[in-house]
Amino acid sequence: MAGEIHDLSKKKPPREIVADVCIVGSGCGGATAAWVLAKAGRDVVVLEEGGDFTGPELTGRDGAMYDQLYMDRGARVTADLSVNVLQARVLGGGGVINASDVVPLSDAVLRHWQKRFDLSAFSPEALAPYKKRALEDLSASRIAEDHVNRANALLRQGTKALNLRGEVMLNNRVGCIGTGTCLIGCPINAKKNPRFVAIPGALDAGARFFTRARARRILSGEQEMKRIEVNTLDERGYRVVGHTQVRARIVILAANAVASAELLLRSGLGNQHVGRNLMLQPQLPVTAIFKEPITAFRGIPQSYAVTEFEVDDHPEHGLWGYRIEGIMGTPGMVASLLPFSGIEGKRAMQLYDRIAASLLLVIDRPSGNVRLSDGRLVVDYWQKEDHKARLRDAIKQCARIYFAAGAQRIIVPTTPPLVFDSEADLTRVDSVRFDVASAPLLSAHQQGTIRMAPSSRLGGADPTGRVYGTKDIYVFDSSGFPSSSSSHTMTPILTVSRFLADRLAAEA
């Protein structure tokens, strides 16, 4: 019997929902696990706090879409206000709002996990078929040349002029028409994300999805049957309007590295490692102004990456260094990231069609944690000095690339702003300290918080994803990653979730 999507804001929820498996989160980890386990004959229920938005419901309007597609309406920040923590709250998860970047989990990172973290099961050979399947699920392909817009082409032009390494990126779009609104959802459903691949597959196998369903607490985590307390939300997801509970033998957390840890903490489950070892991969936007129109808001926003400064085999950290990737946003996004306000801000936005922008994606090591304070979620993060040093270097390299491509001016949104009119100005970067809340750092690839390890002394979950101190409660999202998996986490999460779900299906 085919499953269904139930919107709990539109009808009174059942008093109780019973299933073999309850999955919290419907993104890359949760939807993939639901698909695998439902096909294996398990009765699967998936809880999603957000709503279901597809096609024309994805309006391209900044305010409305941030309100409905992002956790805390896109305003979630670290405790010191330094990093904007961007997370999805929608059926299909982060794949609905990301830039469709497909960056597989490298063999070098897997070998690092084996050697440094003693995750012997995560060998390149064992994960190879799952990496292949993840690419198939995503319909991954190299972005076509006619979809590399002018802004990304200029980034490539400057990269080649300086003889640096770069690449046109892989993506999971099919039938893209270049609306440029990827970060607030694709109105023509061109992204082959979990909403259009794993969720339909899971539904066909009988899985049930409940939207506007906020998992609040897991009870009886050490017992055979778990109870999950669920708040049901109103149509816009603003208020709690009801309650239900799910009873299940197996619970899988796949709500992202922040929310999965938060749920365990609210439930009093897991060991001392839960919530620790958070990685945010903070990114900084850089804007280049050109003389001629660029029209970067048309076409694929992120199609070219400078990979010269990224390594995946650092002996201590595995994935390390940084990437420079072209990007563009809608007017509201861009205005919020330019370091100007008032009349000066209006003048800057008059140059909107002459802007080319990049994100400096600097890989980090565990530098934060997730905790509760008086029942409220707190995300702590302390930017390390090595991260600041690589960020300064990334600013210089990005500016050189844009100047080599003919940019007239480079703007970096620090406080005070860095404005470069030539390479001679770049020495000013050395004095940037990156004090607290002095630059609009963005995080889209949170990892860690329930790291997998061979013993409870070293981590929060065992190598099968089972949370230490619980019976059959698992983590199948990026929470379990012991170090940065990739510069973009969609594909690694799909890969690892299918790997872990296959093993669970064989044992359960």
Side-chain angles (χ1 to χ4, degrees):
M1 180 183 296
E4 293 183 76
I5 299 172
H6 303 270
D7 183 346
L8 294 184
S9 71
K10 293 183 177 179
K11 60 182 180 181
K12 185 177 180 179
R15 182 179 177 184
E16 183 177 81
I17 301 165
V18 180
D20 298 330
V21 181
C22 177
I23 299 174
V24 181
S26 67
C28 294
T32 300
W35 190 10
V36 171
L37 294 169
K39 285 179 67 176
R42 308 298 185 269
D43 181 16
V44 176
V45 160
V46 181
L47 303 177
E48 170 55 53
E49 181 175 329
D52 185 16
F53 291 83
T54 60
E57 295 172 302
L58 298 165
T59 64
R61 300 291 183 179
D62 287 15
M65 294 295 93
Y66 265 93
D67 179 82
Q68 288 301 299
L69 304 180
Y70 284 78
M71 192 67 76
D72 293 343
R73 306 181 190 182
R76 175 166 287 181
V77 292
T78 53
D80 64 1
L81 308 182
S82 289
V83 186
N84 185 192
V85 182
L86 298 172
Q87 298 171 319
R89 189 178 77 148
V90 61
L91 188 67
V96 176
I97 57 169
N98 67 10
S100 296
D101 303 305
V102 174
V103 183
L105 181 59
S106 76
D107 288 351
V109 167
L110 290 172
R111 286 191 288 269
H112 178 70
W113 288 3
Q114 287 185 293
K115 182 178 179 181
R116 180 73 188 274
F117 301 101
D118 202 19
L119 295 178
S120 58
F122 286 77
S123 68
E125 296 75 22
L127 271 292
Y130 297 95
K131 290 167 62 174
K132 181 176 182 290
R133 181 58 190 270
L135 296 178
E136 292 170 351
D137 289 348
L138 293 166
S139 299
S141 65
R142 193 73 58 184
I143 294 172
E145 186 61 33
D146 60 353
H147 279 101
V148 178
N149 68 8
R150 176 72 173 145
N152 282 270
L154 285 167
L155 182 65
R156 176 172 59 183
Q157 179 180 321
T159 301
K160 289 186 173 182
L162 298 180
N163 198 30
L164 301 175
R165 186 176 71 248
E167 64 178 13
V168 174
M169 299 176 73
L170 292 170
N171 77 149
N172 64 312
R173 300 175 182 88
V174 176
C176 175
I177 61 172
T179 63
T181 61
C182 304
L183 302 182
I184 48 177
C186 178
I188 67 162
N189 300 334
K191 294 183 181 182
K192 296 307 171 187
N193 58 38
R195 179 60 187 86
F196 299 106
V197 182
I199 290 176
L203 288 168
D204 287 345
R208 292 169 286 165
F209 288 77
F210 292 87
T211 61
R212 298 301 185 198
R214 176 188 291 159
R216 188 66 180 170
R217 191 165 55 152
I218 304 169
L219 303 175
S220 310
E222 302 87 1
Q223 299 179 18
E224 184 72 19
M225 289 298 290
K226 270 65 72 178
R227 289 189 294 123
I228 301 93
E229 293 182 346
V230 180
N231 290 342
T232 62
L233 308 179
D234 67 8
E235 188 175 7
R236 307 301 289 171
Y238 296 158
R239 300 184 306 277
V240 175
V241 295
H243 306 276
T244 186
Q245 74 168 3
V246 178
R247 285 199 306 121
R249 185 172 64 83
I250 295 171
V251 177
I252 295 172
L253 305 181
N256 72 49
V258 173
S260 290
E262 178 189 2
L263 182 56
L264 287 178
L265 292 170
R266 287 195 185 283
S267 306
L269 296 172
N271 62 18
Q272 73 276 15
H273 292 284
V274 171
R276 299 176 62 186
N277 301 305
L278 174 66
M279 296 166 281
L280 292 182
Q281 284 193 2
Q283 307 173 43
L284 180 68
V286 172
T287 300
I289 309 297
F290 287 81
K291 183 177 181 180
E292 72 277 8
I294 304 300
T295 323
F297 46 85
R298 293 284 180 249
I300 292 177
Q302 196 163 57
S303 57
Y304 189 79
V306 182
T307 58
E308 176 75 22
F309 310 102
E310 181 183 53
V311 298
D312 62 3
D313 58 355
H314 189 280
E316 182 178 359
H317 304 293
L319 187 67
W320 202 239
Y322 61 85
R323 287 163 69 100
I324 302 169
E325 298 179 344
I327 193 62
M328 192 54 178
T330 51
M333 297 179 192
V334 173
S336 70
L337 295 173
L338 287 172
F340 309 114
S341 60
I343 297 298
E344 194 175 8
K346 291 178 69 174
R347 288 174 180 158
M349 285 304 293
Q350 287 177 340
L351 303 176
Y352 184 54
D353 68 341
R354 291 168 48 193
I355 286 174
S358 282
L359 284 173
L360 312 180
L361 198 162
V362 182
I363 309 300
D364 61 343
R365 52 192 165 108
S367 305
N369 60 47
V370 173
R371 59 186 172 89
L372 298 177
S373 177
D374 295 326
R376 298 179 65 87
L377 171 69
V378 178
V379 180
D380 294 312
Y381 190 82
W382 301 275
Q383 191 181 11
K384 306 291 188 184
E385 289 302 319
D386 60 62
H387 190 273
K388 295 177 183 179
R390 284 175 291 131
L391 193 51
R392 284 189 283 266
D393 189 60
I395 291 172
K396 291 180 182 179
Q397 296 295 346
C398 184
R400 290 187 179 111
I401 288 168
Y402 276 130
F403 280 132
Q408 292 184 310
R409 173 167 288 184
I410 311 295
I411 300 169
V412 184
T414 53
T415 302
L418 287 171
V419 180
F420 309 133
D421 293 312
S422 72
E423 284 199 37
D425 297 330
L426 297 185
T427 55
R428 293 168 48 208
V429 176
D430 296 330
S431 63
V432 177
R433 295 169 48 187
F434 291 107
D435 292 331
V436 169
S438 65
L441 297 174
L442 308 170
S443 168
H445 312 129
Q446 304 89 31
Q447 299 166 84
T449 71
I450 316 170
R451 68 158 52 158
M452 290 184 289
S455 76
S456 60
R457 182 176 60 85
L458 300 173
D462 72 19
T464 70
R466 184 182 61 83
V467 177
Y468 283 116
T470 72
K471 182 176 178 60
D472 294 325
I473 297 178
Y474 297 83
V475 56
F476 279 13
D477 60 15
S478 59
S479 307
F481 296 170
S483 70
S484 274
S485 60
S486 173
S487 55
H488 294 272
T489 52
M490 174 172 65
T491 313
I493 293 171
L494 280 166
T495 301
V496 172
S497 178
R498 185 174 283 277
F499 173 62
L500 295 176
D502 259 5
R503 295 169 75 186
L504 179 61
E507 297 170 2

